[in-house]
Amino acid sequence: MDDNDATTMRAVVLSGPGPVENLELTRRPRPEPAPGWVRVRVEAAGLNRSELHTRLGLAEGVTFPRVPGIEATGTVDLDPDGILEPGRQVVAMMGGMGRTYDGGYAEYTVVPRAQLVPFRSDLPWETLGAVPETLQTAYGSLTTGLDLRPGQALLIRGGTSALGFAATALAKEIGATVLATTRGADRLAVLKEHGVDHPLVDDGRVAAQVRALLPQGVDAALELVGTPTLPDTLRAVRVHGTVCFTGMLSNQWTVPDFYPIGYLPSGVRLTAYSGDAADLPAEVLQRFLDTMAAGGLSLGPVHVYPLEQVRAAHRDLEEGNRVGKLVLRTQPAPDPVSDPVSDPASASAR
């Protein structure tokens, strides 16, 4: 296909489960939307653990070859029903993106209209691309999952992940006191700079550190690492407090031989959160983008890769080489984009 052909696009295709070499940048025809679907010109696509799980063969219901990506940020290119005007800024997420139909690792993608959330913002695409799925998950975890209230204390297990930074920002806006963990003492300052009140080194015994600060335990905890740390996280929470299981940075999410009475501390509640585009109201997205533009909110560091570097991005995602959110710039940027995090000592996935 001609690289300049307006009917084609660049897209990253995952041929099947396996190493990063299974991700290949190719040219393919631009997808045509059916009624009820919308074609989006993708400007940026955030990377998520979900896509790593897909590449490693851990996700269910995925067919190959597949363009990965459970989220995308860009503009409406074509709505065959004429409901959304061309050029309208939108984010797309979930609903089978990158699993049962092609996702955001491409210059164009086609998604059901229900998976789109419109917005208006002058923020750079690299910044906007880091927001949708991270904000949706953090917002849903703190509201639906934890019902976090002003004045409460929140523990975030996995604080230097993109989701950890987002949860910190939203929890501080709610008015909570935030404790958050990292595996390296050299990353405590990064947590402090992004609003964490009590950064903690995760030595596997975080509950003891929490109770040294708050003898009764925290009111709420957000588990982002997975089942290996969940028992210790549960022990950090007060009676009638709540733990929300949201993330799986460890790639472990099942509990073998689960015996509730022996596993759960008396009176501590365990919930979970997994959301969709409908769980991020347009007014919530707009409000947070406006707050970010005014300098009143940061969702943490962002690391940008051109589409040609998708393998390097996935390698960094898998090996935990970065703090914060990884974003693919799917359209050629007019100018080189600098990485806002330059300190190599701050690199980590959690």
Side-chain angles (χ1 to χ4, degrees):
M1 296 180 183
D2 185 350
D3 286 357
N4 297 316
D5 184 354
T7 67
T8 67
M9 66 174 184
R10 297 182 306 154
V12 173
V13 176
L14 178 61
S15 57
V20 293
E21 287 74 20
N22 286 14
L23 293 164
E24 184 177 1
L25 180 59
T26 65
R27 289 202 73 87
R28 51 167 44 192
R30 293 185 189 177
E32 293 295 329
W37 291 59
V38 177
R39 186 167 68 202
V40 176
R41 174 186 163 93
V42 182
E43 294 288 347
L47 274 70
N48 301 275
R49 302 294 295 187
S50 174
E51 292 124 40
L52 177 59
H53 294 163
T54 296
R55 181 171 64 75
L56 296 178
L58 303 175
E60 297 181 356
V62 182
T63 55
F64 298 97
R66 176 64 60 215
V67 176
I70 66 168
E71 64 175 314
T73 302
T75 57
V76 172
D77 185 62
L78 176 62
D79 182 349
D81 300 316
I83 296 174
L84 292 175
E85 70 276 13
R88 184 76 162 97
Q89 290 178 301
V90 291
V91 299
M93 70 187 89
M94 305 296 287
M97 283 185 68
R99 292 190 172 193
T100 59
Y101 57 89
D102 289 338
Y105 289 19
E107 292 179 321
Y108 294 85
T109 190
V110 166
V111 300
R113 191 180 297 103
Q115 302 310 125
L116 295 175
V117 184
F119 69 93
R120 297 187 187 279
S121 179
D122 292 326
L123 288 167
W125 286 116
E126 293 78 17
T127 301
L128 294 169
V131 172
E133 180 59 16
T134 300
L135 176 61
Q136 182 271 127
T137 306
Y139 176 79
S141 296
L142 298 187
T143 55
T144 301
L146 290 172
D147 192 25
L148 189 68
R149 300 303 175 94
Q152 291 188 326
L154 169 71
L155 169 66
I156 301 173
R157 196 76 179 251
T160 51
S161 64
L163 185 51
F165 283 115
T168 294
L170 300 188
K172 294 300 293 182
E173 188 175 64
I174 289 171
T177 298
V178 177
L179 300 78
T181 69
T182 175
R183 290 178 297 175
D186 57 340
R187 298 186 290 272
L188 294 173
V190 176
L191 290 174
K192 195 74 174 179
E193 289 167 5
H194 285 84
V196 174
D197 299 289
H198 301 287
L200 305 173
V201 174
D202 193 339
D203 60 359
R205 298 178 298 276
V206 170
Q209 299 181 57
V210 168
R211 290 186 180 273
L213 294 167
L214 301 170
Q216 300 302 314
V218 292
D219 302 287
L222 181 58
E223 179 59 74
L224 302 180
V225 177
T227 55
T229 56
L230 180 58
D232 185 58
T233 299
L234 285 161
R235 291 192 292 270
V237 178
R238 67 168 174 82
V239 173
H240 297 161
T242 305
V243 175
C244 180
F245 188 92
T246 295
M248 297 166 285
L249 293 168
S250 63
N251 289 339
Q252 297 182 47
W253 56 91
T254 60
V255 179
D257 303 319
F258 178 61
Y259 175 51
I261 292 178
Y263 192 91
L264 298 171
S266 294
V268 176
R269 300 155 177 164
L270 176 60
T271 69
Y273 179 78
S274 177
D276 207 334
D279 296 299
L280 180 60
E283 60 271 19
V284 171
L285 173 61
Q286 189 64 58
R287 177 168 61 87
F288 282 107
L289 291 178
D290 292 344
T291 305
M292 288 177 66
L297 182 69
S298 169
L299 296 187
V302 177
H303 307 271
V304 183
Y305 302 76
L307 206 55
E308 294 83 357
Q309 293 181 13
V310 64
R311 291 178 179 177
H314 254 253
R315 190 175 291 110
D316 285 345
L317 180 67
E318 183 173 6
E319 297 176 359
N321 294 331
R322 295 289 194 178
V323 163
K325 185 75 171 183
L326 280 57
V327 173
L328 287 176
R329 186 66 163 97
T330 48
Q331 303 288 341
D335 298 302
V337 178
S338 61
D339 190 332
V341 176
S342 58
D343 179 7
S346 69
S348 171
R350 58 176 168 94

